Amino acid sequence: MQVSSLNEVKIYSLSAGRSLPEWLSDRKKRALQKKNVDVRRRIELIQDFDMPTVSTKIKVSRDGQYIMAAGTYKPRIRCFDTYQLSLKFERCLDSEVVTFDILSDDYSKIVFLQCDRYVEFHSQHGRYYRTRIPKFGRDFSYHYPSCDLYFVGASSEVYRLNLEQGRYLNSLQTDASENNVCDINPIHCLFATGTAEGKVECWDPRTRNRVGVLDCALSSVTADTEIDGLPSISALKFNGALNMAVGTSTGQVLLYDLRSSNPLIVKDHQYGLPIKSIQFQDPLDLIISADSRIIKMWNKDTGKIFTSMEPEHDINDICLYPNSGMLLTANEDPKMNIYYIPVLGPAPRWCSFLDNLTEELEENPESTVYDDYKFVTRKDLENLGLAHLIGSPLLRAYMHGFFMDIRLYHKVKMMVNPFAYEEYRKEKIRQKIEETRAQRVQLKKLPKVNKELALKLIEEEEEQQPTRKKKQKNLPNILTDDRFKVMFENPDFQVDEKSEEFRLLNPLVSKISEKRKKKLKILEQQEAQEQEEEEEPEGKPSDAESSETSDDEKGWVEEVRKQRKLLRQEEKVKRQERFKEDQQTTLKPQFFEIKTGEEFRSFKDSVKKQKLMKKTLGDRLKLEEKLGTLSVSDTTVGSKQMTFKLKKSGQQKKQQEAEKQHHQERKNLRRSASHLKSKRGRRGPF
């Protein structure tokens, strides 16, 4: 039996524990009970209270003697007799059961709505009659005064089958495209159906007229809720003459007074899953609502949570045993769960021993099985030097680690770390000193861990105080909240502002304001002065402190060296980024004055070169042949012979032009000299 507690409400899970297979003999069962503690402590309240694979619906007869459950596979119905604490009978069906209802006080009259549109009527001996409805059904309700069955499903019509006359009557035409659930008020017999559009239509069976419509989809959406689509009605339940609870497909439960179109209270399950079932617990004014993941019990006047349960497997249906504190659930699991909550009421008459059992457990609480064992991981075993014990009886494998005897663990730890007691003693002394310091009057004391974060929170709170109105509630402060206390005490929770993740998430942290830095320096100086004024703690001489400070200085020097290396690496990365930026930047055009005597050449030559480089080798050869810089000819052997002329650069061209000009000047001088000589020769005879 498993015990859990939430809001000081104890919940006993009577179906928890290992179940023995049916094919085991009695001798083996007794042997297992002697050896296995879990088998010995389990409580089998009802024998074979399970299904082959999955249970879908569960109900209790009005006399409280029979519990009926539907499940698969194969589709079947099982009836359990609570007086005999065993299975009464089992019947297999042709198709799966969508829902069923017990019309009589015992199991003699049962109606089953199946997934293939068939409706089966069963009596004590078995199936009595079988008929079919026009559309696929989803739910039905029985109207006792007129003996009418109202079927709702994948249609806008509500089909009526009269069991006294044995024929269908005129159906009710609704405004919805489909109807999901329905219910009939037990006092004034008002018929209500929940539609796929999120509305509840109420009909008077006497006049077969619609008397009202509630728009629950609009009322379920509040400022805090987030929905993806239009909420439809998934559960419906009347309580008394005036109250009605409605469950939506988005996980909200609305409580209505039939005299008002606005809900009295809206309760959100916070899971976004459809509400499967709703039950009322009148003695404590509670509403029990369940989706596939959680069962919540809350006060129908205030909406305050009373308690909740989260089974291991998904929930399909719940049923509260009348006038007791027992809750039955049908799950996506072979085993159907039984919960006993003493606060809701006493145990049923057929299991009254549960009250004595729970009282004894509360008076003598037993220690859990794992109190004498220590859970260690594989890494812990390697640190302790016990990795060779893996696979031996001293270690029991469990999840991602092992269980070992706590005495063995303490002995090995003392051998591996003999100075653990001294470290523990120093830590206790430090804690006591801090407790005495906390009693003093302090103006502003920052924690030792995450100082900058604490200073930021204090500044934000000071900024919000003048703007906060009187009627507004004071928001909880993280510094004074016990849930976040460890974040400012344990150095393991120190925020690493130089890590890559922190920089990506907080890109503006590096730009801390100068005021905050000054405040931090002032507060650190004040703390240093207070520590100097403190007396030395007992059991720790000054020599030990000096040795520790020297070790700290060495560690500090190493840390500084590491930080310098990191800074150099960051500077290198910045240089590379700057170089990339310089390459990507587009330069603006600049104008220069051409010197006298120089000629300006256009950029066409460079453009031509770029175009020429993009061409293939054959195209370039053809072009050079046309220009005369290249000649290709065939030889006698059959091979090719290629002769080409090198292109001259600008400087070479200038030199050649200067040489040509020099030669031309010399020729001109020679010609003029020869011409003068010839003239003198002609004048000689005079």
Side-chain angles (χ1 to χ4, degrees), residues 180-374:
N180 295 331
V181 290
C182 63
D183 194 21
I184 293 177
N185 193 293
I187 296 176
H188 48 69
C189 297
L190 182 70
F191 173 74
T193 175
T195 66
E197 287 79 9
K199 295 181 180 180
V200 176
E201 295 189 9
C202 298
W203 293 73
D204 188 355
R206 299 169 298 181
T207 60
R208 297 184 298 279
N209 293 326
R210 184 169 53 227
V211 294
V213 178
L214 288 174
D215 192 352
C216 301
L218 186 62
S219 301
S220 64
V221 179
T222 58
D224 300 332
T225 56
E226 295 181 1
I227 57 172
D228 298 330
L230 183 67
S232 59
I233 306 301
S234 60
L236 189 66
K237 187 71 174 177
F238 279 105
N239 180 40
L242 298 175
N243 290 334
M244 178 181 65
V246 180
T248 64
S249 59
T250 54
Q252 289 88 23
V253 181
L254 297 86
L255 182 64
Y256 280 94
D257 190 319
L258 294 179
R259 296 168 293 185
S260 174
S261 60
N262 296 322
L264 299 175
I265 193 168
V266 179
K267 188 67 178 177
D268 195 349
H269 271 220
Q270 303 294 337
Y271 282 106
L273 300 172
I275 303 298
K276 296 278 188 178
S277 180
I278 300 174
Q279 301 286 333
F280 285 90
Q281 211 275 344
D282 293 327
L284 297 178
D285 292 334
L286 298 178
I287 295 177
I288 305 172
S289 55
D291 56 22
S292 59
R293 188 175 295 179
I294 191 170
I295 302 171
K296 287 192 176 184
M297 301 183 188
W298 45 281
N299 191 285
K300 67 179 183 180
D301 296 326
T302 61
K304 186 179 179 182
I305 285 290
F306 182 72
T307 188
S308 62
M309 293 173 285
E310 292 190 46
E312 295 181 3
H313 305 280
D314 290 347
I315 304 165
N316 289 327
D317 192 21
I318 63 171
C319 178
L320 184 65
Y321 196 91
N323 302 322
S324 73
M326 183 172 288
L327 187 69
L328 312 172
T329 64
N331 320 297
E332 290 286 329
D333 188 60
K335 188 181 292 185
M336 293 180 285
N337 292 336
I338 304 175
Y339 296 98
Y340 176 54
I341 308 169
V343 181
L344 297 182
R349 187 176 57 181
W350 49 273
C351 57
S352 57
F353 59 89
L354 286 176
D355 290 328
N356 299 329
L357 186 63
T358 53
E359 287 177 3
E360 290 177 3
L361 288 174
E362 290 179 0
E363 290 176 0
N364 302 316
E366 295 183 0
S367 60
T368 57
V369 183
Y370 302 110
D371 283 350
D372 298 333
Y373 291 89
K374 173 71 176 177

Side-chain angles (χ1 to χ4, degrees), residues 21-38:
E22 297 178 359
W23 43 266
L24 279 181
S25 62
D26 294 338
R27 183 181 295 177
K28 288 186 177 180
K29 286 181 180 180
R30 286 194 296 269
L32 276 174
Q33 287 178 354
K34 290 180 181 178
K35 293 179 181 178
N36 200 326
V37 179
D38 295 335

Side-chain angles (χ1 to χ4, degrees), residues 75 89-90 161 281 295 384 398 419 473 539 565 577 585 638 673:
F89 64 84
E90 179 183 14
L161 176 61
Q281 211 275 344
I295 302 171
L384 295 173
Y398 182 76
F419 301 103
K473 294 182 179 179
K565 288 181 181 179
E577 290 178 354
T585 52

